[in-house]
Amino acid sequence: MKNLLLITTAVAVLVLAGCGKSEPTQPVIESVESLVANPERLKELRAQCKADHVRMGDAQCQAVAEATRQRFMSGGPSPYANDPVPPPAAPASPPASADAKD
């Protein structure tokens, strides 16, 4: 009987120890590369960082800012690259003057 009480108490202690508070998990921070590839998610996170920077955290908001910068400054082709641009006009020649001596 004494052994049964000891075993029951040990099991109860182990069960209660397993029910204790766990460490809060760190939020998953989305990478700059994934945000550059997914503009809709980037837009969503930019709005969240603007609304509540403290809750989002500095690391995530910095990744959002860097992804925004990379998308804005990307070295891709310009949307204006194929616009027809006329060549500059030749400079006008000076008018011939009537007072010119030959």
mmCIF file of all heavy atoms in Angstrom, residues 5-6 10 16 30 41 46-47 53-54 57 70 76 80-81 90 100:
data_model
loop_
_atom_site.group_PDB
_atom_site.id
_atom_site.type_symbol
_atom_site.label_atom_id
_atom_site.label_comp_id
_atom_site.label_asym_id
_atom_site.label_seq_id
_atom_site.Cartn_x
_atom_site.Cartn_y
_atom_site.Cartn_z
ATOM 1 N N LEU A 5 1.060 4.256 -2.929
ATOM 2 C CA LEU A 5 0.938 5.683 -2.637
ATOM 3 C C LEU A 5 2.146 6.442 -3.170
ATOM 4 O O LEU A 5 2.004 7.539 -3.731
ATOM 5 C CB LEU A 5 0.772 5.893 -1.121
ATOM 6 C CG LEU A 5 0.582 7.344 -0.675
ATOM 7 C CD1 LEU A 5 -0.680 7.927 -1.291
ATOM 8 C CD2 LEU A 5 0.523 7.425 0.824
ATOM 9 N N LEU A 6 3.325 5.885 -3.025
ATOM 10 C CA LEU A 6 4.550 6.514 -3.501
ATOM 11 C C LEU A 6 4.551 6.613 -5.028
ATOM 12 O O LEU A 6 4.892 7.659 -5.590
ATOM 13 C CB LEU A 6 5.763 5.725 -3.002
ATOM 14 C CG LEU A 6 7.117 6.306 -3.356
ATOM 15 C CD1 LEU A 6 7.291 7.676 -2.731
ATOM 16 C CD2 LEU A 6 8.213 5.375 -2.892
ATOM 17 N N ALA A 10 4.364 10.064 -7.309
ATOM 18 C CA ALA A 10 5.393 10.338 -8.307
ATOM 19 C C ALA A 10 4.760 10.620 -9.676
ATOM 20 O O ALA A 10 5.164 11.548 -10.392
ATOM 21 C CB ALA A 10 6.360 9.172 -8.394
ATOM 22 N N LEU A 16 1.883 16.983 -13.262
ATOM 23 C CA LEU A 16 1.783 18.408 -12.965
ATOM 24 C C LEU A 16 2.992 19.181 -13.497
ATOM 25 O O LEU A 16 2.866 20.324 -13.925
ATOM 26 C CB LEU A 16 1.623 18.633 -11.459
ATOM 27 C CG LEU A 16 0.272 18.219 -10.886
ATOM 28 C CD1 LEU A 16 0.278 18.395 -9.375
ATOM 29 C CD2 LEU A 16 -0.839 19.031 -11.512
ATOM 30 N N GLU A 30 9.664 36.256 -41.379
ATOM 31 C CA GLU A 30 9.727 35.937 -42.800
ATOM 32 C C GLU A 30 10.960 36.593 -43.402
ATOM 33 O O GLU A 30 11.294 37.727 -43.083
ATOM 34 C CB GLU A 30 8.458 36.408 -43.497
ATOM 35 C CG GLU A 30 7.242 35.659 -43.010
ATOM 36 C CD GLU A 30 6.006 35.985 -43.808
ATOM 37 O OE1 GLU A 30 6.089 36.041 -45.050
ATOM 38 O OE2 GLU A 30 4.964 36.169 -43.183
ATOM 39 N N ARG A 41 1.952 39.570 -49.592
ATOM 40 C CA ARG A 41 2.329 39.370 -48.184
ATOM 41 C C ARG A 41 3.150 40.559 -47.688
ATOM 42 O O ARG A 41 2.992 41.003 -46.555
ATOM 43 C CB ARG A 41 3.106 38.062 -48.031
ATOM 44 C CG ARG A 41 3.537 37.767 -46.622
ATOM 45 C CD ARG A 41 2.370 37.447 -45.741
ATOM 46 N NE ARG A 41 2.843 37.086 -44.409
ATOM 47 C CZ ARG A 41 2.192 37.332 -43.303
ATOM 48 N NH1 ARG A 41 1.006 37.894 -43.343
ATOM 49 N NH2 ARG A 41 2.692 37.008 -42.138
ATOM 50 N N ARG A 46 3.660 45.265 -44.252
ATOM 51 C CA ARG A 46 3.956 46.700 -44.147
ATOM 52 C C ARG A 46 2.858 47.412 -43.384
ATOM 53 O O ARG A 46 3.126 48.265 -42.536
ATOM 54 C CB ARG A 46 4.101 47.329 -45.540
ATOM 55 C CG ARG A 46 5.435 47.055 -46.188
ATOM 56 C CD ARG A 46 5.557 47.722 -47.530
ATOM 57 N NE ARG A 46 5.558 49.164 -47.357
ATOM 58 C CZ ARG A 46 5.204 50.026 -48.295
ATOM 59 N NH1 ARG A 46 4.821 49.586 -49.472
ATOM 60 N NH2 ARG A 46 5.241 51.302 -48.069
ATOM 61 N N ALA A 47 1.609 47.060 -43.678
ATOM 62 C CA ALA A 47 0.483 47.676 -42.975
ATOM 63 C C ALA A 47 0.505 47.301 -41.493
ATOM 64 O O ALA A 47 0.234 48.143 -40.630
ATOM 65 C CB ALA A 47 -0.834 47.238 -43.616
ATOM 66 N N HIS A 53 4.101 48.470 -34.589
ATOM 67 C CA HIS A 53 5.504 48.090 -34.746
ATOM 68 C C HIS A 53 5.999 47.255 -33.559
ATOM 69 O O HIS A 53 6.754 46.312 -33.741
ATOM 70 C CB HIS A 53 6.367 49.355 -34.896
ATOM 71 C CG HIS A 53 7.797 49.063 -35.199
ATOM 72 N ND1 HIS A 53 8.262 48.987 -36.479
ATOM 73 C CD2 HIS A 53 8.853 48.822 -34.390
ATOM 74 C CE1 HIS A 53 9.556 48.721 -36.454
ATOM 75 N NE2 HIS A 53 9.940 48.617 -35.196
ATOM 76 N N VAL A 54 5.542 47.588 -32.361
ATOM 77 C CA VAL A 54 6.002 46.881 -31.160
ATOM 78 C C VAL A 54 5.572 45.421 -31.199
ATOM 79 O O VAL A 54 6.365 44.527 -30.906
ATOM 80 C CB VAL A 54 5.470 47.581 -29.886
ATOM 81 C CG1 VAL A 54 5.799 46.779 -28.652
ATOM 82 C CG2 VAL A 54 6.034 48.980 -29.787
ATOM 83 N N GLY A 57 7.571 43.555 -33.990
ATOM 84 C CA GLY A 57 8.978 43.372 -33.647
ATOM 85 C C GLY A 57 9.901 44.045 -34.647
ATOM 86 O O GLY A 57 9.580 44.177 -35.836
ATOM 87 N N GLN A 70 14.407 46.631 -51.733
ATOM 88 C CA GLN A 70 14.903 45.805 -52.841
ATOM 89 C C GLN A 70 13.925 45.791 -54.010
ATOM 90 O O GLN A 70 14.335 45.836 -55.163
ATOM 91 C CB GLN A 70 15.177 44.383 -52.366
ATOM 92 C CG GLN A 70 16.445 44.274 -51.574
ATOM 93 C CD GLN A 70 16.771 42.845 -51.200
ATOM 94 O OE1 GLN A 70 16.212 41.884 -51.751
ATOM 95 N NE2 GLN A 70 17.671 42.677 -50.250
ATOM 96 N N GLY A 76 15.902 45.284 -62.334
ATOM 97 C CA GLY A 76 15.173 44.705 -63.455
ATOM 98 C C GLY A 76 14.997 45.701 -64.577
ATOM 99 O O GLY A 76 15.381 46.869 -64.479
ATOM 100 N N TYR A 80 10.009 51.658 -68.852
ATOM 101 C CA TYR A 80 10.086 52.678 -69.890
ATOM 102 C C TYR A 80 11.153 52.353 -70.935
ATOM 103 O O TYR A 80 11.425 53.165 -71.798
ATOM 104 C CB TYR A 80 10.389 54.042 -69.254
ATOM 105 C CG TYR A 80 9.419 54.376 -68.162
ATOM 106 C CD1 TYR A 80 9.818 54.354 -66.836
ATOM 107 C CD2 TYR A 80 8.096 54.669 -68.445
ATOM 108 C CE1 TYR A 80 8.917 54.637 -65.817
ATOM 109 C CE2 TYR A 80 7.193 54.947 -67.439
ATOM 110 C CZ TYR A 80 7.613 54.934 -66.138
ATOM 111 O OH TYR A 80 6.731 55.200 -65.137
ATOM 112 N N ALA A 81 11.768 51.182 -70.853
ATOM 113 C CA ALA A 81 12.885 50.845 -71.734
ATOM 114 C C ALA A 81 12.480 50.803 -73.203
ATOM 115 O O ALA A 81 13.279 51.121 -74.076
ATOM 116 C CB ALA A 81 13.489 49.508 -71.327
ATOM 117 N N ALA A 90 19.176 68.229 -84.226
ATOM 118 C CA ALA A 90 20.492 68.812 -84.512
ATOM 119 C C ALA A 90 20.455 70.288 -84.150
ATOM 120 O O ALA A 90 19.421 70.949 -84.305
ATOM 121 C CB ALA A 90 20.825 68.630 -85.979
ATOM 122 N N ALA A 100 27.754 90.135 -94.097
ATOM 123 C CA ALA A 100 28.944 89.321 -94.206
ATOM 124 C C ALA A 100 29.783 89.791 -95.383
ATOM 125 O O ALA A 100 29.288 90.014 -96.479
ATOM 126 C CB ALA A 100 28.574 87.870 -94.384
#
